[in-house]
Amino acid sequence: MSKALARELRENCVYLREGGWRNTAILMRLAADEIDRLEARVTELEKSHGEPQTVPGLLTRVGSSRKLRRYGGRA
């Protein structure tokens, strides 16, 4: 989905520039570039760890590697 979003952002930049929204078009292009960069980084991390990195998976890993404490110092 992120690749589709980046593509849509880039395609809509043309219309924004033509409509006089040059700075907004620049920001959208930069956002699309950042989405692509982050997507590449996630893919690189997944390859190095051998498994997809998902939010639930990361939370499980963090929870199992250390005991989480509530505020006040009680477990």
Side-chain angles (χ1 to χ4, degrees):
M1 179 171 159
S2 60
K3 291 182 183 187
L5 175 59
R7 183 181 64 246
E8 290 293 323
L9 287 172
R10 284 191 183 91
E11 289 174 1
N12 288 315
C13 287
V14 175
Y15 304 113
L16 287 168
R17 275 192 300 270
E18 290 173 356
W21 295 85
R22 182 181 174 273
N23 290 337
T24 302
I26 291 169
L27 288 174
M28 286 179 60
R29 190 194 66 218
L30 292 172
D33 293 344
E34 184 69 6
I35 289 169
D36 288 341
R37 186 190 69 77
L38 290 171
E39 183 71 29
R41 181 69 176 135
V42 167
T43 302
E44 178 185 316
L45 288 171
E46 286 175 347
K47 286 180 183 177
S48 68
H49 291 291
E51 61 186 57
Q53 299 295 307
T54 61
V55 173
L58 291 172
L59 290 175
T60 301
R61 188 174 305 150
V62 168
S64 65
S65 65
R66 62 182 147 152
K67 189 174 184 177
L68 301 176
R69 293 185 171 184
R70 292 187 287 171
Y71 291 107
R74 289 183 270 152

Short mmCIF file of all heavy atoms in Angstrom, two decimals, residues 3-30:
data_model
loop_
_atom_site.label_atom_id
_atom_site.label_comp_id
_atom_site.label_asym_id
_atom_site.label_seq_id
_atom_site.Cartn_x
_atom_site.Cartn_y
_atom_site.Cartn_z
N LYS A 3 3.64 1.84 -1.47
CA LYS A 3 4.12 2.17 -2.82
C LYS A 3 3.03 2.87 -3.61
O LYS A 3 3.30 3.82 -4.35
CB LYS A 3 4.59 0.92 -3.55
CG LYS A 3 5.85 0.35 -2.96
CD LYS A 3 6.32 -0.86 -3.74
CE LYS A 3 7.55 -1.42 -3.06
NZ LYS A 3 8.17 -2.48 -3.81
N ALA A 4 1.80 2.44 -3.45
CA ALA A 4 0.67 3.07 -4.14
C ALA A 4 0.48 4.50 -3.63
O ALA A 4 0.21 5.41 -4.42
CB ALA A 4 -0.59 2.25 -3.96
N LEU A 5 0.62 4.69 -2.34
CA LEU A 5 0.47 6.03 -1.76
C LEU A 5 1.56 6.96 -2.30
O LEU A 5 1.27 8.10 -2.69
CB LEU A 5 0.54 5.96 -0.24
CG LEU A 5 0.52 7.30 0.49
CD1 LEU A 5 -0.75 8.07 0.18
CD2 LEU A 5 0.65 7.07 1.99
N ALA A 6 2.79 6.50 -2.32
CA ALA A 6 3.88 7.33 -2.85
C ALA A 6 3.64 7.68 -4.31
O ALA A 6 3.86 8.82 -4.72
CB ALA A 6 5.22 6.59 -2.68
N ARG A 7 3.16 6.72 -5.09
CA ARG A 7 2.87 6.98 -6.51
C ARG A 7 1.77 8.04 -6.65
O ARG A 7 1.89 8.97 -7.45
CB ARG A 7 2.47 5.69 -7.21
CG ARG A 7 2.23 5.85 -8.70
CD ARG A 7 1.81 4.56 -9.39
NE ARG A 7 0.50 4.11 -8.88
CZ ARG A 7 0.30 3.00 -8.18
NH1 ARG A 7 1.30 2.19 -7.90
NH2 ARG A 7 -0.90 2.67 -7.76
N GLU A 8 0.71 7.92 -5.85
CA GLU A 8 -0.39 8.89 -5.91
C GLU A 8 0.08 10.28 -5.51
O GLU A 8 -0.32 11.28 -6.11
CB GLU A 8 -1.53 8.45 -5.00
CG GLU A 8 -2.28 7.24 -5.49
CD GLU A 8 -3.05 7.50 -6.77
OE1 GLU A 8 -3.60 8.61 -6.94
OE2 GLU A 8 -3.09 6.60 -7.62
N LEU A 9 0.91 10.36 -4.49
CA LEU A 9 1.43 11.66 -4.08
C LEU A 9 2.21 12.32 -5.22
O LEU A 9 2.03 13.51 -5.49
CB LEU A 9 2.32 11.51 -2.85
CG LEU A 9 1.62 11.21 -1.53
CD1 LEU A 9 2.64 10.89 -0.46
CD2 LEU A 9 0.75 12.38 -1.11
N ARG A 10 3.05 11.55 -5.86
CA ARG A 10 3.85 12.10 -6.97
C ARG A 10 2.97 12.53 -8.14
O ARG A 10 3.21 13.57 -8.75
CB ARG A 10 4.87 11.08 -7.44
CG ARG A 10 6.04 10.96 -6.50
CD ARG A 10 7.17 10.14 -7.11
NE ARG A 10 8.23 10.01 -6.14
CZ ARG A 10 8.33 9.01 -5.27
NH1 ARG A 10 7.46 8.02 -5.28
NH2 ARG A 10 9.32 8.98 -4.41
N GLU A 11 1.97 11.73 -8.46
CA GLU A 11 1.08 12.07 -9.57
C GLU A 11 0.28 13.34 -9.29
O GLU A 11 0.07 14.15 -10.18
CB GLU A 11 0.13 10.91 -9.88
CG GLU A 11 0.82 9.72 -10.51
CD GLU A 11 -0.09 8.52 -10.69
OE1 GLU A 11 -1.28 8.61 -10.33
OE2 GLU A 11 0.39 7.49 -11.18
N ASN A 12 -0.13 13.53 -8.06
CA ASN A 12 -0.92 14.71 -7.71
C ASN A 12 -0.09 15.98 -7.58
O ASN A 12 -0.63 17.09 -7.62
CB ASN A 12 -1.71 14.47 -6.43
CG ASN A 12 -2.85 13.50 -6.66
OD1 ASN A 12 -3.56 13.61 -7.65
ND2 ASN A 12 -3.00 12.54 -5.77
N CYS A 13 1.22 15.85 -7.48
CA CYS A 13 2.09 17.02 -7.41
C CYS A 13 1.94 17.89 -8.65
O CYS A 13 1.97 19.12 -8.58
CB CYS A 13 3.55 16.60 -7.26
SG CYS A 13 3.95 15.98 -5.63
N VAL A 14 1.77 17.26 -9.80
CA VAL A 14 1.62 18.00 -11.06
C VAL A 14 0.43 18.95 -10.98
O VAL A 14 0.53 20.13 -11.32
CB VAL A 14 1.46 17.02 -12.25
CG1 VAL A 14 1.20 17.77 -13.54
CG2 VAL A 14 2.68 16.13 -12.37
N TYR A 15 -0.69 18.44 -10.52
CA TYR A 15 -1.91 19.25 -10.44
C TYR A 15 -1.77 20.38 -9.42
O TYR A 15 -2.26 21.49 -9.65
CB TYR A 15 -3.11 18.38 -10.10
CG TYR A 15 -3.30 17.25 -11.07
CD1 TYR A 15 -3.12 15.93 -10.67
CD2 TYR A 15 -3.62 17.51 -12.40
CE1 TYR A 15 -3.29 14.89 -11.57
CE2 TYR A 15 -3.78 16.48 -13.31
CZ TYR A 15 -3.61 15.16 -12.89
OH TYR A 15 -3.76 14.14 -13.79
N LEU A 16 -1.08 20.11 -8.34
CA LEU A 16 -0.88 21.16 -7.35
C LEU A 16 0.01 22.28 -7.89
O LEU A 16 -0.28 23.46 -7.69
CB LEU A 16 -0.26 20.57 -6.08
CG LEU A 16 -1.21 19.74 -5.23
CD1 LEU A 16 -0.44 18.97 -4.18
CD2 LEU A 16 -2.25 20.63 -4.58
N ARG A 17 1.09 21.91 -8.58
CA ARG A 17 1.97 22.91 -9.17
C ARG A 17 1.21 23.77 -10.18
O ARG A 17 1.34 24.99 -10.20
CB ARG A 17 3.18 22.26 -9.84
CG ARG A 17 4.33 21.98 -8.90
CD ARG A 17 5.59 21.62 -9.65
NE ARG A 17 5.44 20.45 -10.49
CZ ARG A 17 5.69 19.21 -10.11
NH1 ARG A 17 6.11 18.98 -8.88
NH2 ARG A 17 5.52 18.20 -10.93
N GLU A 18 0.42 23.11 -11.02
CA GLU A 18 -0.35 23.84 -12.03
C GLU A 18 -1.38 24.76 -11.38
O GLU A 18 -1.72 25.81 -11.93
CB GLU A 18 -1.06 22.87 -12.97
CG GLU A 18 -0.13 22.14 -13.90
CD GLU A 18 -0.82 21.06 -14.71
OE1 GLU A 18 -2.04 20.82 -14.50
OE2 GLU A 18 -0.14 20.43 -15.54
N GLY A 19 -1.87 24.39 -10.21
CA GLY A 19 -2.85 25.20 -9.51
C GLY A 19 -2.24 26.29 -8.65
O GLY A 19 -2.96 26.99 -7.94
N GLY A 20 -0.93 26.42 -8.67
CA GLY A 20 -0.27 27.46 -7.90
C GLY A 20 0.15 27.04 -6.50
O GLY A 20 0.54 27.87 -5.69
N TRP A 21 0.07 25.77 -6.21
CA TRP A 21 0.42 25.25 -4.89
C TRP A 21 1.81 24.60 -4.94
O TRP A 21 2.00 23.45 -4.56
CB TRP A 21 -0.62 24.24 -4.42
CG TRP A 21 -1.96 24.86 -4.20
CD1 TRP A 21 -2.92 25.10 -5.12
CD2 TRP A 21 -2.45 25.35 -2.96
NE1 TRP A 21 -3.99 25.69 -4.54
CE2 TRP A 21 -3.74 25.86 -3.21
CE3 TRP A 21 -1.94 25.40 -1.67
CZ2 TRP A 21 -4.51 26.42 -2.20
CZ3 TRP A 21 -2.72 25.95 -0.67
CH2 TRP A 21 -3.99 26.45 -0.94
N ARG A 22 2.80 25.37 -5.38
CA ARG A 22 4.15 24.85 -5.60
C ARG A 22 4.77 24.25 -4.33
O ARG A 22 5.31 23.16 -4.35
CB ARG A 22 5.04 25.96 -6.15
CG ARG A 22 6.44 25.51 -6.45
CD ARG A 22 7.29 26.67 -6.98
NE ARG A 22 8.67 26.27 -7.13
CZ ARG A 22 9.58 26.34 -6.15
NH1 ARG A 22 9.24 26.81 -4.97
NH2 ARG A 22 10.82 25.94 -6.35
N ASN A 23 4.70 24.99 -3.22
CA ASN A 23 5.31 24.51 -1.98
C ASN A 23 4.65 23.23 -1.47
O ASN A 23 5.32 22.33 -0.96
CB ASN A 23 5.28 25.59 -0.90
CG ASN A 23 6.23 26.73 -1.22
OD1 ASN A 23 7.19 26.56 -1.96
ND2 ASN A 23 5.95 27.91 -0.67
N THR A 24 3.34 23.16 -1.60
CA THR A 24 2.63 21.95 -1.18
C THR A 24 3.05 20.77 -2.06
O THR A 24 3.23 19.65 -1.57
CB THR A 24 1.10 22.17 -1.26
OG1 THR A 24 0.76 23.28 -0.44
CG2 THR A 24 0.35 20.94 -0.80
N ALA A 25 3.22 21.02 -3.35
CA ALA A 25 3.67 19.97 -4.26
C ALA A 25 5.06 19.47 -3.88
O ALA A 25 5.33 18.27 -3.92
CB ALA A 25 3.66 20.48 -5.70
N ILE A 26 5.93 20.39 -3.50
CA ILE A 26 7.28 20.00 -3.07
C ILE A 26 7.21 19.13 -1.82
O ILE A 26 7.88 18.10 -1.73
CB ILE A 26 8.15 21.25 -2.82
CG1 ILE A 26 8.45 21.96 -4.14
CG2 ILE A 26 9.44 20.88 -2.10
CD1 ILE A 26 9.07 23.33 -3.99
N LEU A 27 6.38 19.53 -0.86
CA LEU A 27 6.23 18.73 0.37
C LEU A 27 5.68 17.34 0.08
O LEU A 27 6.11 16.36 0.68
CB LEU A 27 5.34 19.46 1.37
CG LEU A 27 5.95 20.70 2.02
CD1 LEU A 27 4.90 21.41 2.86
CD2 LEU A 27 7.15 20.32 2.86
N MET A 28 4.73 17.27 -0.83
CA MET A 28 4.16 15.96 -1.18
C MET A 28 5.20 15.08 -1.85
O MET A 28 5.26 13.87 -1.61
CB MET A 28 2.93 16.13 -2.04
CG MET A 28 1.73 16.62 -1.24
SD MET A 28 0.24 16.87 -2.20
CE MET A 28 -0.06 15.26 -2.85
N ARG A 29 6.02 15.66 -2.70
CA ARG A 29 7.07 14.88 -3.34
C ARG A 29 8.09 14.39 -2.31
O ARG A 29 8.53 13.23 -2.34
CB ARG A 29 7.78 15.69 -4.43
CG ARG A 29 8.71 14.82 -5.28
CD ARG A 29 9.65 15.61 -6.12
NE ARG A 29 10.55 16.30 -5.21
CZ ARG A 29 11.01 17.53 -5.36
NH1 ARG A 29 10.69 18.24 -6.39
NH2 ARG A 29 11.80 18.08 -4.49
N LEU A 30 8.44 15.25 -1.37
CA LEU A 30 9.36 14.85 -0.30
C LEU A 30 8.75 13.74 0.56
O LEU A 30 9.46 12.82 0.98
CB LEU A 30 9.74 16.05 0.56
CG LEU A 30 10.61 17.11 -0.12
CD1 LEU A 30 10.75 18.33 0.79
CD2 LEU A 30 11.97 16.54 -0.48
#
